[in-house]
């Protein structure tokens, strides 16, 4: 159920950029702390996540807030494409939880 909401939120656009950013933050957390099943599901959706690398939204004041989304996507996709890095992040998170 949580994963379905995340994938829906990644489809938001424009002024709802915060939903996208927060969904990406949850995905980043789940890669480190979530179940193996959650990580597998996230890896299966790498293409949907990487599609956000061109996310754009400029506030009326002229601030490019889409930049935050693009940076988060870049970090997540680079992590998802490196199995060793995923294991390293998960091990580090597991050690911090103890």
């Amino acid at each position: 159920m949580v994963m379905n909401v995340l994938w829906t939120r990644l489809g938001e656009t424009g002024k709802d950029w915060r939903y996208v950013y927060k969904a990406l933050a949850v995905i980043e957390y789940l890669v480190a702390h979530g179940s193996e099943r959650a990580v597998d599901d996230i890896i299966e959706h790498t293409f949907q996540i990487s599609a956000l690398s061109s996310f754009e939204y400029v506030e009326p004041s002229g601030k490019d807030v889409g930049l935050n989304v693009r940076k988060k996507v870049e970090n997540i996709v680079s992590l998802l494409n490196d199995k060793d890095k995923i294991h390293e992040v998960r091990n580090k998170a597991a050690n911090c939880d103890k």
Side-chain angles (χ1 to χ4, degrees), residues 71-89:
K71 282 184 178 179
K72 182 79 72 181
V73 166
E74 184 180 320
N75 291 339
I76 292 171
V77 170
S78 68
L79 176 62
L80 294 177
N81 288 330
D82 187 349
K83 295 266 189 207
D84 293 335
K85 184 75 173 164
I86 291 173
H87 289 298
E88 180 183 320
V89 168

Side-chain angles (χ1 to χ4, degrees), residues 27-80:
I27 287 169
E28 196 171 46
Y29 178 85
L30 288 174
V31 169
H33 299 272
S35 68
E36 288 292 331
R37 188 171 152 204
V39 174
D40 291 342
D41 192 23
I42 291 167
I43 290 171
E44 288 175 16
H45 285 83
T46 301
F47 179 77
Q48 183 180 0
I49 296 168
S50 65
L52 293 168
S53 62
S54 60
F55 187 90
E56 289 187 15
Y57 181 68
V58 179
E59 289 184 333
S61 64
K63 183 177 179 186
D64 178 14
V65 292
L67 177 65
N68 297 329
V69 172
R70 293 190 300 271
K71 282 184 178 179
K72 182 79 72 181
V73 166
E74 184 180 320
N75 291 339
I76 292 171
V77 170
S78 68
L79 176 62
L80 294 177

